[in-house]
Amino acid sequence: MKTIDYRSDTLTEPTEAMRDAMRDAAVGDDQYGEDPTANQLEELAAQKLSKEAGLFTPSGMMANLAALMTHAQRGDSVILDDQQHIFTSEAGSVSSIAGLLPRLVQSENGVMDPGDVEFVMKNAYPPVTVVCSENTHNMSGGTVITPGELGALAEVVHSCGAKLHLDGARIFNAAVALDIDASEIAAEVDSVMFCLSKGLSAPVGSVLVGDADFISQARKVRKMLGGAMRQAGVLAAAGIVALDDMVDRLEEDHRNARRLAEGIVGLGVFEVDLDTVQTDMVNVDGASRGWSAERMVKELKALGILVNGRPPSRVRMVVNRHHSETDIDETLNRVASLM
Ligand SMILES: Cc1ncc(COP(=O)(O)O)c(C=O)c1O
């Protein structure tokens, strides 16, 4: 029985074009600013998001951390929603390394109420110098935040003298879902981190973009974090292919995620909030069946379907380019056997 693995879009493997580009990449020492391919990737990323400059990092977590440490000083407060990856899944680096005090607000599928944010900003001590948003919003099932919603948040953040950073690990999924250019989303925020290594299929890396001064300071922070690289062009080459060739096809992942979600709802075995199925993720809930997340992971694994648990009762399924419509239908057949 073929294993169908929906644990993450990070499982995507580099394409043949990426492997060719990596082998042929022109390289130099990136710490001397002499890697032409890394420089090209940073310029391309900045251009795609209409920002002045970019910084290639080994991971999205490092890019988020570098952004926070550049926008804020140790001892400042940072506003996050309580389901954001930076808070839930980055090993506490926001506090233990950046030295920031998280001020948590609730969000509705990743959208924070600007009034709630303003209240915290006006009353918090130490002062809030940076606010983070996440688009798409992973914990909510890959939900999309519109430029209008981000713009309303940016207005209160800026009026209180703080900066708005976007964890845009999947900003291109958001842009494809909204059928807009990713730069329209980026225009509302001061800095954006996005991942090359998720649905875009590059093996390693993220890019942080923002204005030239910010990126120049973030470059120093990346070095403080041990993230400065040498012949980084070998990795950046795959990133360039990811940006050039892999963005538009995300639509196919979104279509397959929808097919999977509607199929599961149709079977009536588990519940899915179809309103949240906007990109490549499907959060499946076993509560109506009395199943815990742990049990769902186990029972689905026995059917050759791998998923990540979202306790207490949900699992996350992420569709990526290695899944065909046939895989989706095969998944539904196997889930049907639980009826
Ligand atoms: C929303 C979000 N932000 C940041 C990251 C971190 O990216 P990386 O795994 O490259 O550090 C992830 C990874 O899954 C993510 O989902």
Side-chain angles (χ1 to χ4, degrees), residues 28-335:
D29 191 325
D30 190 39
Q31 283 204 43
Y32 290 94
E34 290 175 2
D35 189 294
T37 312
N39 292 345
Q40 192 190 334
L41 170 65
E42 290 175 346
E43 280 161 29
L44 178 66
Q47 184 204 321
K48 295 251 181 217
L49 295 181
S50 297
K51 295 289 185 202
E52 286 175 8
L55 177 70
F56 183 40
T57 61
S59 70
M61 287 188 251
M62 185 182 287
N64 276 335
L65 187 54
L68 293 178
M69 290 173 72
T70 305
H71 283 310
Q73 301 295 312
R74 292 185 75 77
D76 291 351
S77 295
V78 51
I79 294 181
L80 304 158
D81 86 60
D82 64 350
Q83 296 298 310
Q84 254 170 46
H85 196 273
I86 292 176
F87 182 66
T88 62
S89 311
E90 303 196 2
S93 58
V94 58
S95 300
S96 60
I97 300 179
L100 303 177
L101 176 64
R103 303 275 181 178
L104 300 180
V105 301
Q106 306 275 321
S107 79
E108 179 80 28
N109 292 333
V111 181
M112 294 182 278
D113 182 332
D116 292 348
V117 171
E118 187 172 30
F119 178 82
V120 176
M121 296 189 82
K122 291 204 162 140
N123 292 290
Y125 189 86
V128 175
T129 45
V130 60
V131 176
C132 297
S133 181
E134 183 181 304
N135 199 10
T136 64
H137 196 260
N138 185 341
M139 280 290 182
S140 303
T143 50
V144 171
I145 305 176
T146 64
E149 288 163 336
L150 270 177
L153 181 63
E155 209 174 300
V156 303
V157 171
H158 292 150
S159 74
C160 294
K163 300 289 186 191
L164 182 56
H165 170 68
L166 183 67
D167 175 343
R170 298 179 182 82
I171 191 174
F172 290 103
N173 292 86
V176 165
L178 291 167
D179 196 18
I180 59 173
D181 203 284
S183 63
E184 287 184 47
I185 301 172
E188 306 297 341
V189 301
D190 299 288
S191 56
V192 182
M193 175 288 273
F194 70 86
C195 293
L196 298 158
S197 57
K198 300 200 159 57
L200 299 184
S201 295
V204 176
S206 290
V207 187
L208 177 64
V209 297
D211 68 34
D213 262 5
F214 167 81
I215 289 297
S216 147
Q217 288 174 50
R219 199 172 288 282
K220 178 185 157 205
V221 176
R222 182 186 68 169
K223 185 153 183 165
M224 288 163 64
L225 297 172
M229 295 174 277
R230 300 298 184 178
Q231 284 71 38
V234 171
L235 300 172
I240 292 170
V241 176
L243 278 178
D244 280 342
D245 297 351
M246 303 301 284
V247 171
D248 291 344
R249 67 146 307 284
L250 292 172
E251 214 244 315
E252 187 184 325
D253 298 343
H254 299 181
R255 240 190 355 259
N256 280 336
R258 191 82 206 166
R259 185 181 183 95
L260 179 66
E262 286 176 354
I264 291 173
V265 169
L267 292 173
V269 181
F270 302 118
E271 288 187 353
V272 176
D273 178 355
L274 287 176
D275 289 345
T276 64
V277 184
Q278 299 169 8
T279 56
D280 59 348
M281 295 184 189
V282 182
N283 275 342
V284 184
D285 200 331
S288 61
R289 209 179 161 84
W291 283 18
S292 65
E294 200 185 354
R295 175 152 184 211
M296 289 181 72
V297 171
K298 207 170 126 213
E299 303 265 358
L300 289 169
K301 191 173 179 185
L303 298 174
I305 301 166
L306 303 186
V307 298
N308 272 341
R310 284 271 162 92
S313 63
R314 290 184 309 169
V315 295
R316 183 189 76 167
M317 302 176 81
V318 190
V319 173
N320 65 55
R321 76 179 184 89
H322 300 300
H323 300 128
S324 61
E325 272 187 15
T326 313
D327 291 326
I328 304 293
D329 294 344
E330 170 62 19
T331 304
L332 294 171
N333 281 338
R334 293 185 200 175
V335 173

